[in-house]
Amino acid sequence: MPDRTTQSWAELNVASPDDLAGLFQALAAELAADVAAAGEEAALRAVRDRWLGRKSGRLARIRDQWLAAAPREWKPAVGQLYNALARQAESEFARAQARFAAVQAQAMIVEDAVDTTLPGRAQPAGPAHPVLRILDRITDVFVRLGYSVATGPEIETAYYNFEALNIPADHPARDDQDTIYLAGAGEELLLRTHTSPVQIRAMQAQEPPLRIVAPGRVYRHDAPDASHSPMFHQIEGLAVDRDLTLGDLKGTLDHFARELFGAAATTRFRPSYFPFTEPSAEMDVSCILCHGAGCRACKQTGWIEILGCGMIHPALYRAVGYDAARWSGFAFGMGVERVAMLYYGVDDLQRFYSGDLRFLEQFAT
Ligand code: DAH
């Protein structure tokens, strides 16, 4: 259909009011068809420009060419028909626009709807920290042997941390360099430097026979480096019964080493000194990396020291009111990070405390 609005008033050849009415009726029908054919918002905008565009829209042309050029007697009729067409255009566009908006709103409702039948989004659950995994493994070995788990406070008195353990006031372990003291307390309070005070607390709480392990945090005045940390973990063991001997101690710890490091692990005991045991020893395990052949981890010796141990010193029995003639027992203590480093082949202690997930996630199984 040719666009009649491009024609001049003269070209229209309007001869009667019917001609004029017919002309506007045809335009109204064309407008309605145009709007109906616009299937999307962009198309509707194009149709709107074609009809209502300020300068070259069809209605602008009707106003500027026909209405302006029509003879005086036609002007009122043309003006009325023009106004009616303009109103029709406005309302048709408004309705079409509202229709699109409704469709869009509906689509958004569908899109944003929450599907309550979907399973929840799983939060990634962190695996246990490698140090705690090892602590648990060590604890489990002894629990299977009938030991129970005991705990004690991390803030200790000098009495439990030192005196009762037969560590005299001038012992180097009491040096301020090692011990973190808490200022302001009436009693001499400190952060426990080892888990050994739990031995005293356990013996005070129970009569023999007694078998406990005490895992926990300990604190020392150390600058952090590849093998030191101001906080680390220890696990303490204590067994008191009739006639326990150094043979029981060695047998127990030998069993422990094989349970933790595998059946091929062997142990050796070297004489040592601790104020709370007599005799005292340090236990080495055959290097789990080279199996005794010698490597960097064991400094070519084939052995790695993992714990201190010994037969309980009679002074401890006196401190807790046990009859030293009746009971005998052994104790041991080990640093958990040290074992974890060995077990997992980690060469820098600080990695355990970095909170770096790329490091920690390697221990997820
Ligand atoms: N408490 C000692 C330390 O922190 C470790 C230790 C050695 C504990 C010998 C014991 C033991 O129970 O018998 O180095």
Side-chain angles (χ1 to χ4, degrees):
M1 191 177 340
D3 180 3
R4 305 211 51 197
T5 63
T6 59
Q7 298 179 318
S8 69
W9 175 258
E11 288 167 330
L12 290 174
N13 273 326
V14 174
S16 68
D18 280 352
D19 284 351
L20 192 65
L23 175 64
F24 273 91
Q25 252 166 33
L27 287 169
E30 209 179 318
L31 167 69
D34 261 11
V35 172
E40 45 153 26
E41 247 188 321
L44 184 69
R45 260 198 309 278
V47 172
R48 192 188 163 88
D49 282 348
R50 184 148 73 241
W51 287 89
L52 290 175
R54 271 167 156 260
K55 284 211 179 100
S56 48
R58 290 182 174 178
L59 278 141
R61 280 204 296 268
I62 292 171
R63 186 192 58 219
D64 295 344
Q65 293 177 45
W66 300 355
L67 193 56
R72 203 170 243 280
E73 61 274 27
W74 286 104
K75 274 195 201 298
V78 175
Q80 266 174 25
L81 287 164
Y82 163 82
N83 282 336
L85 186 63
R87 272 199 305 275
Q88 182 199 335
E90 288 295 352
S91 75
E92 294 233 14
F93 284 117
R95 250 184 297 130
Q97 186 60 50
R99 227 173 27 240
F100 282 129
V103 167
Q104 215 170 52
Q106 187 59 36
M108 261 168 72
I109 288 168
V110 171
E111 196 177 307
D112 294 350
V114 174
D115 181 351
T116 54
T117 66
L118 284 175
R121 223 170 269 158
Q123 296 295 325
H129 190 279
V131 171
L132 293 186
R133 296 166 83 89
I134 291 296
L135 190 56
D136 281 349
R137 275 173 189 265
I138 297 171
T139 304
D140 284 351
V141 172
F142 290 101
V143 166
R144 287 197 294 273
L145 289 174
Y147 285 65
S148 51
V149 176
T151 56
E154 290 175 22
I155 294 175
E156 264 298 6
T157 61
Y159 175 76
Y160 282 104
N161 198 76
F162 296 127
E163 258 108 72
L165 287 163
N166 196 34
I167 303 174
D170 55 359
H171 194 279
R174 298 186 72 157
D175 200 314
D176 281 354
Q177 288 218 334
D178 293 327
T179 308
I180 299 169
Y181 288 93
L182 301 177
E187 225 174 345
E188 204 179 7
L189 291 182
L190 47 83
L191 295 178
R192 67 180 180 189
T193 58
H194 52 179
T195 44
S196 299
V198 186
Q199 288 186 34
I200 303 298
R201 292 182 176 274
M203 287 194 283
Q204 281 180 340
Q206 304 171 53
E207 288 296 314
L210 183 84
R211 282 194 294 270
I212 57 116
V213 280
R217 289 188 177 126
V218 301
Y219 302 84
R220 290 188 194 175
H221 208 286
D222 272 328
D225 65 22
S227 55
H228 293 86
S229 164
M231 184 285 296
F232 58 101
H233 296 77
Q234 281 189 343
I235 184 164
E236 192 80 13
L238 170 76
V240 183
D241 208 330
R242 281 184 206 284
D243 307 322
L244 285 179
T245 66
L246 195 60
D248 295 310
L249 165 61
K250 289 180 74 174
T252 302
L253 294 178
D254 196 54
H255 169 81
F256 155 72
R258 277 183 275 111
E259 285 287 297
L260 192 69
F261 296 113
T266 54
T267 57
R268 74 174 183 189
F269 292 78
R270 286 178 289 104
S272 184
Y273 169 77
F274 298 103
F276 30 90
T277 45
E278 179 57 37
S280 301
E282 273 167 335
M283 186 180 90
D284 298 341
V285 182
S286 52
C287 179
I288 61 164
L289 299 180
C290 67
H291 304 289
C295 68
R296 224 166 56 111
C298 60
K299 300 197 183 83
Q300 312 303 330
T301 64
W303 296 99
I304 293 186
E305 179 199 322
I306 64 161
L307 57 78
C309 58
M311 301 307 291
I312 294 163
H313 196 288
L316 275 65
Y317 296 137
R318 282 197 292 278
V320 300
Y322 279 8
D323 180 352
R326 229 179 128 198
W327 303 108
S328 64
F330 58 79
F332 53 89
M334 73 187 101
V336 181
E337 278 80 351
R338 222 184 123 69
V339 177
M341 285 169 79
L342 189 63
Y343 195 91
Y344 290 123
V346 172
D347 59 5
D348 183 353
L349 175 60
Q350 296 307 318
R351 287 188 178 277
F352 285 135
Y353 309 119
S354 67
D356 184 342
L357 286 178
R358 292 168 307 176
F359 172 74
L360 295 171
E361 278 168 354
Q362 298 175 66
F363 306 94
T365 52

